[in-house]
């Protein structure tokens, strides 16, 4: 059954959510994982996770009936000598892992690592990928103690075969099935609907509501829907008489409200930034200068979409987009990031807010099909009505599919408008 909620937002029941996520997991294990093992030439991939100190990758392997490692759980994926597909083992007695994995039974007096040693001996892989990484937190889930003990258990015969799983792990985390991308449209629609409900006189009263009041309403609304926010939302103000670009406090007529917000649903995250304008007493619509600035921000989005091509690195896109923005007399900052299981997800960084330059390592990764991004940026434009330069912050959850960037929903091209009196 579907849980119907007020104000046009519909959230699936827990059982329906779990059915979808389990279907995705089965398809990812059957279709995606063998391709990645072959692509990265990995004979065996291990994920060793402790209860209450979960490996971020282990969480992406759990079926819905299992929510933790229960002491210790070891996933072992084997491709060596497999003509088709791979073998998927889990060293656990929990039969709810099946049919996603084969439970590898321990013999008398064996612990999980003894069983793992026996499995490694059986398949004698040339390479054993483990989750260690200097640059990506979600690829660095193997604890120091488990790494040391693993080396001891494997001994000289196998310990020197250990390699980082960073590359295969990033591809596993960032690559989305077509069915996941289809559902992402629903996630983004829900996100935008919550934004629409937020930017209304029902929840924002000029001279009374504060930025923190709005944040708390959003957080409660998301919780009431049975969802999570993908990060702690923020609301700030751009004001004609403001002393800085982003201020907090009580909302006043003539303010621009800037909301940075996302949800987590079905194991995936969204991240969006949207803008509202509080009409002044003599306003019927936002000032022409502010409307022009929003159009300039949309122009930069167009530039980003036109430039982004398959195989380009994050740094390539960043440099080309900023260069093209200058040609179009746009004062732009670009700081976009991958998104998926994690809000700041696996894949190529496209600029950083505090480093408007090429980013070593993380910016060198290439854009690939069936990956998702938070197109996050700002442009700064002089507003004649305010007699100063004003930043316009926007962000959209987008995907790269069929060789091009694509929106999941319509982007923001007009301000949400809130009346000065209610």
């Amino acid at each position: 059954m579907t849980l119907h909620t007020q104000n046009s937002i519909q959230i699936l029941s827990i059982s329906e959510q779990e059915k979808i996520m389990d279907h995705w997991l089965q398809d990812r294990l059957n279709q995606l994982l063998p391709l990645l093992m072959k692509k990265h030439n990995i004979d065996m991939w291990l994920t060793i996770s402790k209860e209450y100190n979960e490996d971020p990758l282990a969480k992406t392997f759990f079926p819905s009936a299992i929510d933790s490692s229960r002491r210790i759980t070891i996933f072992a994926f084997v491709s060596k000598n497999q003509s088709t597909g791979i073998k998927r083992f889990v060293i656990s007695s929990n039969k709810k892992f099946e049919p996603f994995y084969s439970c590898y039974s321990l013999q008398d007096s064996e612990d999980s690592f003894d069983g793992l040693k026996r499995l490694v001996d059986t398949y004698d892989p040339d390479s054993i990928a483990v989750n260690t990484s200097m640059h990506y937190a979600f690829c660095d889930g193997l604890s120091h103690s488990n790494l040391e003990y693993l080396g001891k258990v494997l001994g000289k015969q196998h310990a020197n075969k250990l390699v980082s799983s960073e590359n295969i792990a990033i591809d596993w985390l960032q690559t989305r099935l077509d069915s996941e991308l289809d559902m992402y449209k629903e996630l983004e629609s829900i996100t935008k609907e919550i934004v629409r409900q937020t930017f209304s006189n029902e929840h924002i009263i000029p001279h009374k509501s504060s930025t923190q009041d709005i944040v708390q309403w959003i957080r409660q609304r998301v919780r009431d829907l049975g969802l999570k926010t993908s990060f702690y939302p923020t609301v700030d103000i751009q004001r004609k008489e403001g002393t800085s670009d982003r201020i907090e406090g009580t909302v006043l007529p003539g303010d621009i409200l800037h909301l940075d917000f996302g949800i987590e649903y079905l194991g995936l995250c969204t991240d969006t930034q949207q803008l509202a304008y509080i009409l002044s007493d003599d306003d019927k619509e936002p000032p022409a200068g502010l409307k022009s600035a929003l159009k300039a921000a949309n122009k930069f989005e167009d530039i980003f979409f036109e430039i982004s091509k398959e195989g380009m690195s994050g740094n390539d896109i960043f440099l080309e987009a900023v260069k093209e923005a200058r040609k179009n007399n746009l004062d732009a900052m670009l700081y976009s990031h991958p998104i998926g299981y994690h809000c700041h997800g696996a894949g190529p960084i496209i600029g950083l807010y505090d480093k408007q330059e090429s980013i070593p390592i993380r910016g060198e990764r290439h854009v690939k099909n069936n990956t998702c991004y938070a197109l996050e940026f700002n442009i700064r434009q002089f507003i004649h009505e305010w007699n100063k330069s004003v930043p316009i912050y926007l962000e959209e959850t987008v995907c790269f599919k069929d060789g091009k960037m694509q929106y999941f929903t319509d982007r923001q091209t007009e301000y949400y408008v809130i009346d000065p009196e209610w």
Side-chain angles (χ1 to χ4, degrees):
M1 103 181 246
T2 301
L3 174 63
H4 295 271
T5 65
Q6 59 178 335
N7 296 323
S8 74
I9 296 179
Q10 298 182 357
I11 303 299
L12 297 173
S13 67
I14 291 176
S15 62
E16 286 179 314
Q17 291 181 46
E18 291 178 344
K19 182 178 179 180
I20 289 172
M21 294 171 70
D22 281 347
H23 181 73
W24 285 346
L25 177 60
Q26 191 73 67
D27 283 352
R28 289 174 66 82
L29 292 170
N30 288 339
Q31 301 170 23
L32 178 60
L33 187 58
L35 294 176
L36 297 182
M37 296 281 284
K38 181 178 181 180
K39 172 185 175 181
H40 296 285
N41 195 28
I42 298 297
D43 288 340
M44 179 178 284
W45 181 13
L46 302 180
T47 293
I48 303 172
S49 190
K50 288 181 178 180
E51 187 177 18
Y52 304 123
N53 187 30
E54 302 287 354
D55 186 317
L57 281 154
K59 295 180 181 181
T60 72
F61 298 141
F62 288 152
S64 62
I66 296 173
D67 60 6
S68 76
S69 292
R70 304 289 176 89
R71 298 188 181 90
I72 193 166
T73 295
I74 301 177
F75 295 95
F77 306 135
V78 182
S79 63
K80 185 177 181 181
N81 299 327
Q82 305 304 310
S83 57
T84 59
I86 61 172
K87 289 189 176 293
R88 307 191 302 261
F89 298 104
V90 61
I91 300 178
S92 170
S93 60
N94 190 341
K95 294 301 181 181
K96 291 182 179 179
F97 275 114
E98 299 176 346
F100 303 92
Y101 313 94
S102 298
C103 289
Y104 195 74
S105 300
L106 298 179
Q107 297 177 353
D108 291 344
S109 75
E110 278 190 336
D111 65 15
S112 296
F113 280 91
D114 294 329
L116 176 59
K117 173 61 163 59
R118 180 161 49 86
L119 189 150
V120 172
D121 285 342
T122 299
Y123 289 95
D124 191 22
D126 295 325
S127 61
I128 305 173
V130 293
N131 299 338
T132 59
S133 172
M134 286 292 294
H135 307 289
Y136 297 90
F138 29 68
C139 302
D140 194 34
L142 181 60
S143 68
H144 178 73
S145 59
N146 275 341
L147 178 59
E148 283 195 329
Y149 190 52
L150 177 63
K152 180 180 178 180
V153 168
L154 293 181
K156 293 182 180 180
Q157 180 184 0
H158 301 297
N160 62 355
K161 301 175 182 178
L162 297 180
V163 298
S164 171
S165 69
E166 181 178 278
N167 289 328
I168 187 173
I170 287 175
D171 271 356
W172 170 260
L173 292 170
Q174 74 171 339
T175 306
R176 304 265 68 85
L177 304 173
D178 286 343
S179 56
E180 291 176 298
L181 292 178
D182 288 340
M183 185 58 75
Y184 237 128
K185 298 175 184 178
E186 178 67 14
L187 268 75
E188 186 68 354
S189 294
I190 292 170
T191 305
K192 295 287 185 64
E193 176 60 20
I194 295 172
V195 172
R196 187 195 67 77
Q197 293 175 12
T198 303
F199 282 154
S200 69
N201 280 106
E202 184 178 357
H203 304 297
I204 298 176
I205 303 174
H207 297 290
K208 182 177 179 180
S209 299
S210 70
T211 50
Q212 190 57 34
D213 291 337
I214 301 169
V215 168
Q216 291 303 325
W217 185 86
I218 294 169
R219 294 180 67 227
Q220 189 64 54
R221 176 65 172 142
V222 171
R223 181 68 62 85
D224 291 345
L225 288 168
L227 303 176
K228 297 179 182 178
T229 54
S230 55
F231 58 95
Y232 199 102
T234 61
V235 175
D236 53 69
I237 296 166
Q238 281 80 56
R239 180 173 292 164
K240 183 176 181 180
E241 296 83 13
T243 56
S244 64
D245 286 343
R246 300 169 71 166
I247 61 177
E248 298 179 2
T250 302
V251 175
L252 301 177
D255 286 347
I256 297 174
L257 285 182
H258 163 241
L259 167 63
D260 190 356
F261 160 69
I263 63 170
E264 180 183 338
Y265 179 41
L266 295 169
L268 300 173
C269 296
T270 65
D271 190 359
T272 189
Q273 294 180 44
Q274 302 273 276
L275 301 170
Y277 179 72
I278 314 297
L279 293 174
S280 296
D281 293 335
D282 55 351
D283 279 335
K284 292 185 179 179
E285 61 182 15
L290 293 182
K291 294 168 70 174
S292 173
L294 183 54
K295 286 185 178 179
N298 292 151
K299 174 59 178 177
F300 185 68
E301 289 174 326
D302 293 340
I303 290 171
F304 177 88
F305 269 58
E306 291 166 5
I307 283 173
S308 299
K309 300 291 189 298
E310 184 178 1
M312 293 181 71
S313 71
N315 290 337
D316 292 337
I317 295 174
F318 169 80
L319 294 172
E320 286 296 318
V322 172
K323 178 181 177 181
E324 191 65 23
R326 293 195 188 103
K327 289 182 180 178
N328 286 267
N329 299 313
L330 295 175
D331 182 4
M333 293 176 62
L334 178 60
Y335 36 97
S336 298
H337 57 85
I339 193 167
Y341 289 122
H342 308 94
C343 185
H344 289 179
I349 290 287
I350 308 174
L352 290 172
Y353 185 84
D354 56 347
K355 288 186 178 181
Q356 288 292 284
E357 59 192 40
S358 293
I359 307 301
I361 301 173
R362 291 187 297 164
E364 295 167 5
R365 291 193 172 272
H366 294 174
V367 169
K368 302 176 182 180
N369 277 310
N370 284 49
T371 55
C372 299
Y373 303 87
L375 168 52
E376 185 175 10
F377 69 98
N378 73 68
I379 64 98
R380 181 177 288 273
Q381 185 160 303
F382 187 82
I383 308 301
H384 291 283
E385 294 89 342
W386 288 18
N387 194 34
K388 67 176 184 180
S389 180
V390 175
I392 300 296
Y393 300 96
L394 287 178
E395 185 173 17
E396 293 280 347
T397 304
V398 301
C399 71
F400 191 86
K401 184 181 179 183
D402 299 327
K404 61 183 179 180
M405 288 288 180
Q406 302 183 34
Y407 290 102
F408 286 119
T409 60
D410 292 338
R411 63 179 175 174
Q412 183 172 20
T413 57
E414 297 180 350
Y415 294 91
Y416 291 88
V417 175
I418 299 171
D419 291 330
E421 297 182 2
W422 185 252

